[in-house]
Amino acid sequence: MKNIDSIGHVTGRSVFTDDIPLTNGTLFGVVVASGIAHGAIKSIDFSQALEMPGVVRILTCTDIPGENQIGGILPDETLFAEKEVHFIGQPIALIIADSEFNARRARKKIHIEYDEFEAVTDPRVAKEKGLLLFPPRTFALGNVAEAWQKCNYIFEGSADSGSQEHLYLETQNAYAVPAENGTLKVYSSTQGPAIVQKTIAGVLGIPMNHIEVDVRRLGGAFGGKEDQATAWSTMAALAAHLLQKPVKLSLSRHDDIVMTGKRHPYSSDFRIGLSEDLKILAYEATFYQNGGAAADLSPAIMERTLFHATNSYFVPNVKATAYSCKTNLPPFTAFRGFGAPQAMFVMESAIAFAAKNLGIPAWKIQQKNLIRDEDAFPYGQVAQQAHARECWDEAISQFDVAGKLKEIAEFNSATAFTKKGLALMPVCFGISFTNTAMNQARALVHIYQDGSIGISTGAIEMGQGVNTKLKQVAAGIFSVSPSRIRIESTNTSRVANTSPTAASSGADLNGKALQIACGEILDRLKESAAQMCNTEKEKISLQDEKVYSGSTDTGISWEELITTSFRKRISLSQSGHYATPHIHFDKSTEKGHPFAYHVYGTAAITVTLDCLRGRYWVDSVQVVHDFGNDMNPDINLGQLEGAIMQGIGWMTMEEIRYSEKGRLLSDSLSTYKVPDIYSTPKIVECKTLDKPGPEQAIMRSKAIGEPPFMYGIAVYFALQEAIRAFNPAYSGRYDAPLTPEKVLMALYNR
Ligand code: LUZ
Ligand code: MOS
């Protein structure tokens, strides 16, 4: 089934939050933000701004009727700064004017004086100063202290990975419309409408049932709207509530890039111990997560870093510790992979470092240590249907990796200034929110009298195709044409208390809830049909919009079944609730069974390097991926390809830089480069591992959003191979992204 949004998107008819027609009298908000990274606000002069044309009002923390608090996990973040500011871009006030232009013009007339304090931007410096957002955590398995004695080889090093801008096409925006009796309707470009609703309720000091949040679809999110859509929606709601006028707030691209949090940069130390025959006996990692100025989702992201510390490998003795360091940068947030890519980069760096020192290819260590069924992850969950080895073996044979390595060696010895490199990247990603309580979802299904169907769930369509998958689920259960089904907007009044659409679990959780709701209606319809043709319910089935009794067509159509059932006063509406079974986690022991299942795969990436200029190309990305029973090859391949490109961008050209004073230097697309059509690999080839998916995956089709992101990590190590082929003295620091500038330096330095 094709993505149901494809035609609307291509013809520009799809409606995003920013496209919603505005009510007459709508006002516009523009955010006034801190210009320094750390300090006390001495004075603010709004007088000139208030006199500018069209300005209606300027809101600050003193205008908040409820609590000035938007922290999602920990209550440590204000909507508007009070006495102090903690990062450049921290909201201080909201200008409301009759147009966005006028609000922006007025912003230039605001004068703020600060007492400037020292700014910290480096996580290790923050840790030294005792600046942590919350206490550190350690995951452990076996006994590393003892295991070092048994190792033939021990290597120690460090690895850093950089931040990443989400660059969703649709910037953060919301439209809040006051309704009767103090209620509000808020259109929000958010992955988490329930979080938006709850936060608005807290800030306004009104009950959640006074706020209806509605989301048609997002123009991309990638995690950037899991938690960080909330502030902007809340500001719009606050203004609409206080002024009793509709208020629109839409961040300009520049404001969005400067004010919102991104992927967490990490600085990490590793120690890896191996036996003579290359078994990893012990692994120790210390992660310094740069959390920014408030916790945001950092506790959950730090947790996922620990969960994925050993990637796809079984290591019998592990100790992984993570610190979330408080710095004067915008709070870093969810981004596809959610802390796992950062952990896996460290593990792969440790393996690459060991391999380099032993003078062997890294794949020998990777291959030797892939996890098997019944091996335990450091968090206690035992691997089941672990397809790490199958994916690896298939990749090696299907893509003739041995032959390629030989070709590359020959090429490299025959050419002076062009070198090639290849690296492999096995991936294992756990599916479920690491916070067990979030693994629940609901759906609401209506069948209308004419046989058409309306479906609401908690899932947010953000381009990933979840609505198409939901339509497939319902069409399959009722055996009706997908054209009879409409997926409604995601709305907190229809489906309440939703988890954000995140953690690659949107289709699984909401699809399962939908299956339950549809299943109950189907059951009633079968009962009704059985009465209509005087037979038992068990004999009835629906096939291609017709009622069958056993194998005979009863002549009753879907429409007739529905109208008759309606006249018989049978309920054609149903909600469904799903909670992932069998998952649990105990934070006091850091052990449990947090994931419904894992997704596996192996990628091989080949690069070509221009050793005069430091330019490089990705020749091929070849993947064996564990889709389970792939329910929608088009959509899943699209997710896989997009994720790989985003992973390659993170590892190569996407470089977020802050000045020492905490100013974002890469604050526009002239200084922040993302992969474009010219940097896509010449070959992207994906083979499906032929293994059935688990029961907990929707239609046994495994979650796809995040796992392929981490295949991109291979590009880093492939580039290092190519650099080393030209410059054997290259020390091989682990400091992503490996930009062309860094590559050029590496080619001619140690
Ligand atoms: N969001 C979240 C996520 O709140 N919890 C998670 O475990 C998670 N994992 C991946 C992406 N987003
Ligand atoms: Mo996410 S990183 O919002 O799944």
Side-chain angles (χ1 to χ4, degrees):
M1 187 167 150
K2 294 287 172 203
N3 189 320
I4 58 174
D5 276 339
S6 49
I7 290 177
H9 283 7
V10 170
T11 57
R13 291 192 185 100
S14 299
V15 174
F16 297 84
T17 306
D18 210 26
D19 299 325
I20 293 170
L22 303 181
T23 306
N24 214 353
T26 291
L27 300 173
F28 298 82
V30 164
V31 180
V32 181
S34 172
I36 65 162
H38 194 195
I41 300 172
K42 275 207 303 206
S43 68
I44 311 181
D45 182 1
F46 288 133
S47 56
Q48 269 184 290
L50 283 167
E51 279 165 23
M52 291 293 287
V55 173
V56 174
R57 194 163 160 186
I58 301 177
L59 302 173
T60 65
C61 61
T62 58
D63 295 295
I64 292 174
E67 268 192 295
N68 184 20
Q69 183 50 246
I70 61 165
I73 298 178
L74 299 173
D76 69 347
E77 194 178 353
T78 57
L79 180 67
F80 293 122
E82 292 177 0
K83 296 188 174 70
E84 289 187 358
V85 285
H86 297 273
F87 62 92
I88 292 176
Q90 180 178 354
I92 295 175
L94 184 73
I95 307 179
I96 308 292
D98 61 355
S99 72
E100 200 176 298
F101 178 82
N102 280 338
R104 249 175 235 299
R105 220 160 46 151
R107 180 163 69 171
K108 297 203 184 89
K109 303 285 178 186
I110 292 176
H111 304 288
I112 306 176
E113 278 185 67
Y114 306 94
D115 252 339
E116 205 163 336
F117 306 155
E118 186 200 7
V120 176
T121 58
D122 183 303
R124 290 187 192 249
V125 172
K127 158 77 173 36
E128 279 304 299
K129 291 179 182 277
L131 297 168
L132 297 182
L133 288 162
F134 43 87
R137 286 170 70 180
T138 297
F139 281 22
L141 180 69
N143 185 334
V144 269
E146 276 175 23
W148 300 122
Q149 325 291 321
K150 301 189 197 120
C151 297
N152 295 80
Y153 315 109
I154 297 175
F155 303 102
E156 270 183 39
S158 61
D160 290 358
S161 62
S163 187
Q164 188 174 26
E165 162 62 36
H166 301 87
L167 217 76
Y168 24 67
L169 283 180
E170 179 198 25
T171 58
Q172 304 275 3
N173 77 99
Y175 184 39
V177 183
E180 60 173 19
N181 300 328
T183 63
L184 279 167
K185 180 156 186 179
V186 181
Y187 301 92
S188 170
S189 180
T190 178
Q191 291 171 251
I195 301 164
V196 169
Q197 180 194 24
K198 187 168 174 226
T199 307
I200 294 173
V203 168
L204 300 190
I206 61 176
M208 282 172 79
N209 67 0
H210 282 41
I211 299 141
E212 176 186 353
V213 179
D214 190 272
V215 186
R216 177 74 255 174
R217 62 167 65 73
L218 315 185
F222 310 111
K225 296 169 182 173
E226 179 174 344
D227 207 56
Q228 295 215 359
T230 304
W232 324 109
S233 300
T234 305
M235 287 178 202
L238 173 70
H241 184 67
L242 294 176
L243 299 167
Q244 286 299 303
K245 291 269 173 115
V247 174
K248 165 124 190 182
L249 199 168
S250 179
L251 294 189
S252 69
R253 178 64 65 187
H254 188 256
D255 280 358
D256 190 303
I257 291 182
V258 171
M259 294 178 189
T260 66
K262 319 186 187 306
R263 182 183 297 284
H264 291 75
Y266 274 57
S267 186
S268 311
D269 296 323
F270 61 78
R271 191 167 190 222
I272 188 168
L274 300 100
S275 67
E276 186 79 58
D277 64 348
L278 304 180
K279 277 263 181 211
I280 304 173
L281 297 182
Y283 178 64
E284 206 172 314
T286 309
F287 301 101
Y288 300 93
Q289 177 195 60
N290 191 337
D296 190 88
L297 289 165
S298 295
I301 292 160
M302 188 181 95
E303 185 171 71
R304 197 173 270 280
T305 297
L306 294 171
F307 280 119
H308 293 88
T310 53
N311 186 12
S312 212
Y313 309 106
F314 172 65
V315 182
N317 301 285
V318 179
K319 186 175 171 212
T321 300
Y323 298 89
S324 186
C325 309
K326 184 174 180 193
T327 59
N328 297 107
L329 297 174
F332 292 97
T333 194
F335 196 144
R336 208 173 196 170
F338 206 72
Q342 292 93 324
M344 292 184 192
F345 180 68
V346 179
M347 183 80 217
E348 295 303 322
S349 295
I351 290 174
F353 189 62
K356 184 187 88 144
N357 284 293
L358 293 171
I360 56 162
W363 65 261
K364 288 201 171 162
I365 302 178
Q366 292 175 310
Q367 176 166 287
K368 191 92 191 183
N369 292 283
L370 293 167
I371 198 159
R372 298 172 196 270
D373 279 2
E374 307 309 323
D375 284 341
F377 290 98
Y379 46 91
Q381 185 161 345
V382 172
Q384 283 155 346
Q385 292 156 306
H387 300 318
R389 280 168 191 272
E390 286 96 332
C391 291
W392 176 278
D393 292 345
E394 286 246 337
I396 298 286
S397 64
Q398 296 260 347
F399 304 132
D400 185 24
V401 170
K404 276 215 181 69
L405 286 168
K406 201 162 149 264
E407 268 173 41
I408 289 173
E410 283 164 10
F411 178 93
N412 285 349
S413 59
T415 55
F417 291 103
T418 310
K419 301 290 180 188
K420 287 182 184 286
L422 181 152
L424 289 146
M425 179 70 197
V427 167
C428 165
F429 193 84
I431 300 303
S432 287
F433 287 95
T434 56
N435 176 0
T436 302
M438 290 171 77
N439 295 287
Q440 51 171 312
R442 280 155 291 279
L444 176 64
V445 179
H446 298 309
I447 303 181
Y448 296 96
Q449 293 171 57
D450 64 355
S452 67
I453 301 169
I455 288 170
S456 298
T457 72
I460 298 289
E461 176 61 55
M462 53 188 117
Q464 85 280 41
V466 69
N467 281 356
T468 305
K469 289 183 175 178
L470 293 173
K471 211 181 226 201
Q472 266 180 283
V473 166
I477 292 174
F478 293 128
S479 197
V480 297
S481 160
S483 64
R484 286 197 187 268
I485 302 172
R486 180 176 154 74
I487 310 292
E488 306 288 358
S489 65
T490 311
N491 183 296
T492 53
S493 301
R494 265 179 274 121
V495 177
N497 306 320
T498 59
S499 289
T501 298
S504 305
S505 65
D508 279 3
L509 295 176
N510 293 283
K512 290 271 176 180
L514 178 60
Q515 279 181 334
I516 290 166
C518 293
E520 291 191 23
I521 299 180
L522 180 65
D523 200 57
R524 294 199 287 266
L525 291 176
K526 283 185 179 174
E527 178 85 54
S528 171
Q531 285 174 10
M532 286 165 77
C533 43
N534 274 318
T535 180
E536 298 108 64
K537 188 173 110 187
E538 288 64 38
K539 292 224 174 100
I540 298 289
S541 65
L542 299 185
Q543 291 171 40
D544 296 329
E545 310 210 334
K546 290 195 279 279
V547 176
Y548 278 73
S549 174
S551 56
T552 45
D553 183 348
T554 62
I556 302 171
S557 69
W558 166 258
E559 281 171 26
E560 192 184 341
L561 173 64
I562 296 302
T563 28
T564 308
S565 301
F566 174 64
R567 263 190 259 112
K568 282 161 50 188
R569 298 189 290 174
I570 290 166
S571 167
L572 299 175
S573 295
Q574 184 65 49
S575 69
H577 169 84
Y578 176 74
T580 311
H582 315 307
I583 53 171
H584 55 88
F585 193 70
D586 180 353
K587 282 195 186 182
S588 66
T589 57
E590 304 286 25
K591 298 281 178 195
H593 187 104
F595 298 120
Y597 59 90
H598 293 83
V599 176
Y600 295 88
T602 292
I605 294 189
T606 309
V607 299
T608 299
L609 182 57
D610 166 355
C611 302
L612 287 176
R613 299 169 189 84
R615 300 184 304 174
Y616 50 76
W617 297 267
V618 181
D619 299 325
S620 63
V621 175
Q622 294 171 303
V623 185
V624 172
H625 186 78
D626 167 29
F627 290 97
N629 306 37
D630 192 348
M631 73 182 283
N632 193 316
D634 272 3
I635 284 177
N636 287 340
L637 185 61
Q639 283 290 294
L640 180 127
E641 290 179 346
I644 292 174
M645 276 321 291
Q646 211 165 28
I648 290 175
W650 176 55
M651 281 285 110
T652 58
M653 64 179 77
E654 296 186 43
E655 188 176 35
I656 294 280
R657 291 270 290 271
Y658 295 94
S659 74
E660 269 179 32
K661 295 195 118 193
R663 181 170 303 281
L664 180 62
L665 301 172
S666 44
D667 65 353
S668 77
L669 293 176
S670 62
T671 45
Y672 186 72
K673 296 294 184 192
V674 292
D676 60 10
I677 193 72
Y678 300 104
S679 42
T680 53
K682 294 189 191 77
I683 297 169
V684 180
E685 200 180 341
C686 175
K687 295 238 183 327
T688 305
L689 182 75
D690 189 18
K691 295 274 179 193
E695 169 61 32
Q696 294 98 315
I698 188 67
M699 296 171 74
R700 296 188 183 270
S701 183
K702 285 188 167 189
I704 187 69
E706 295 169 288
F709 179 91
M710 286 145 284
Y711 293 139
I713 292 173
V715 78
Y716 191 96
F717 298 97
L719 282 169
Q720 284 202 328
E721 288 300 309
I723 295 168
R724 203 163 282 126
F726 181 80
N727 176 15
Y730 166 53
S731 65
R733 298 185 56 229
Y734 304 101
D735 182 14
L738 194 42
T739 58
E741 291 84 349
K742 280 193 207 159
V743 169
L744 189 61
M745 300 309 275
L747 285 166
Y748 296 96
N749 290 290
R750 292 205 152 259

